[in-house]
Amino acid sequence: MVVAQAVHQLRHSWSCPAEARNVSHVASLGAAHSRVGPLEKTRRSREGLKVRFGARAAVNVDSPNALPIKKRPVAQAKRNQYDITTFTAWLVRQEIEGAIDGELTIVLSSIALACKQIASLVQRAGISNLTGLQGVENIQGEEQKKLDVISNEVFSNCLRSNGRTGIIASEEEDVPVAVEESYSGNYIVVFDPLDGSANIDAAVSTGPIFGIYASDQECLTNLGGDPSVAQNCVVNVCQPGSNLLAAGYCMYSSSVVLVLSIGDGLCAFSLDSLYGEFVLTHEKIQVSTNTKKLYSFNEGRYELWDDKVKRYVDTLKVPDGWTMLYGGIYGYPRDANSSNSKLRLLYECAPMSFLIEQAGGNSSDGQPRILHIQPEEVHQRCPLYFGSPEEVDKVLSFLA
Ligand SMILES: O=P(O)(O)OC[C@H]1O[C@](O)(COP(=O)(O)O)[C@@H](O)[C@@H]1O
């Protein structure tokens, strides 16, 4: 799955809120709008914060009564096992520093809650009879697993009840939905509630992927008003990945890890199952430049690939190829059976591309940057190659 491979392709540096209300309307999709809104607010507050911090420092230095400031370099601060940063504490710190606003803090916090709830469902799936098929297909013609349906319910409920989400678009829903006006906020959240759910029955890694966008200013003032404007606003989910304010995924594997970026690097939080808290365990994650390479392509589809892709993948089959652990590339090419590949642009490719770029990697569909692609529909698919820059460049040279 995308999530599991992403983890292998990143080398980690170790320093480092009910019930869903109604849905007011549903709409079909088309082109997107340009956007401002909360993103600008965040930028303004970032700048404002710098000024405030500068002013405070000046007072300390200039005042004759000022106490000497004790300098203790962070790098030398001794950490003990109780010196932990929970996800909540980290979020609050980001808010204080102006990196995110209070509304986004709430949205992210509710996503963390959804990730924890789904984690416990996944872990107990075999026991609770939650493996297997639901017996219906989603809009994309894929058979839904029981856990696809339940995870979607959990994720949606957490978002709807946080009071700060305006629109949600899920892999498991036919169309995006606007959260009931009296109980909604501004943010647009796109998500795959359980990527890799095909693996559930075999207890292989799975997890949600999500991305968060700002809403259009016009939408903010019109939601719940003119239905046609409201409909356009729902269409507003179709934004290029470069508009993402935050993205992340949670991986359910030997441990539960929430990987997140708010556009300022990449970090990860591991779920402490003793306390039920996500704890900061990885900061400033960077894609490895290690020359040993890991590659992840579904070679079961080899015969369906274009010759150019085959030639590229053949170059990866070096003698120690299967022992490669760091760096490398994830690829899901288009093939003879699926002209646009399998993965979905909005809630799989764009968020994962946002994350890999935040870690110094690259991501492409073979042509432009994934983050520059303007989606035309919610469940649009696209090929995906992401990983170490040099490896992505290499596959692009083969595809050219
Ligand atoms: O085994 P396949 O069909 O090639 O698909 C593998 C890919 O499908 C995914 O599981 C996504 O599929 P779903 O969103 O349908 O779960 C990716 O994570 C993974 O890389």
Side-chain angles (χ1 to χ4, degrees), residues 9 293-297 302 305-316 328-334 361-370 383-400:
Q9 284 154 9
K293 306 226 169 35
L294 174 78
Y295 76 98
S296 317
F297 283 69
Y302 187 89
W305 290 340
D306 183 276
D307 284 346
K308 294 172 179 173
V309 176
K310 286 181 184 167
R311 274 200 291 276
Y312 168 72
V313 172
D314 289 344
T315 69
L316 300 170
I329 189 164
Y330 170 92
Y332 210 108
R334 51 169 58 91
N362 282 357
S363 180
S364 172
D365 68 339
Q367 292 292 330
R369 255 169 94 207
I370 292 276
L384 177 64
Y385 302 94
F386 75 76
S388 306
E390 59 277 15
E391 211 48 50
V392 175
D393 285 351
K394 187 173 156 197
V395 74
L396 294 187
S397 70
F398 274 77
L399 297 176

Side-chain angles (χ1 to χ4, degrees), residues 133-206:
L133 298 173
Q134 175 78 6
V136 283
E137 285 186 349
N138 65 16
I139 183 83
Q140 301 161 74
E142 298 164 338
E143 284 196 298
Q144 288 179 308
K145 301 283 229 175
K146 289 182 198 165
L147 266 173
D148 280 328
V149 176
I150 297 169
S151 303
N152 187 51
E153 199 75 12
V154 169
F155 215 99
S156 303
N157 284 353
C158 283
L159 289 172
R160 286 169 173 163
S161 62
N162 69 30
R164 298 294 183 272
T165 314
I167 297 167
I168 59 179
S170 162
E171 178 183 23
E172 306 303 337
E173 305 277 359
D174 299 2
V175 292
V177 290
V179 177
E180 185 194 11
E181 190 235 334
S182 60
Y183 209 68
S184 71
N186 303 339
Y187 286 105
I188 297 169
V189 183
V190 296
F191 60 95
D192 174 352
L194 198 58
D195 182 79
S197 55
N199 297 328
I200 285 286
D201 299 4
V204 180
S205 314
T206 57

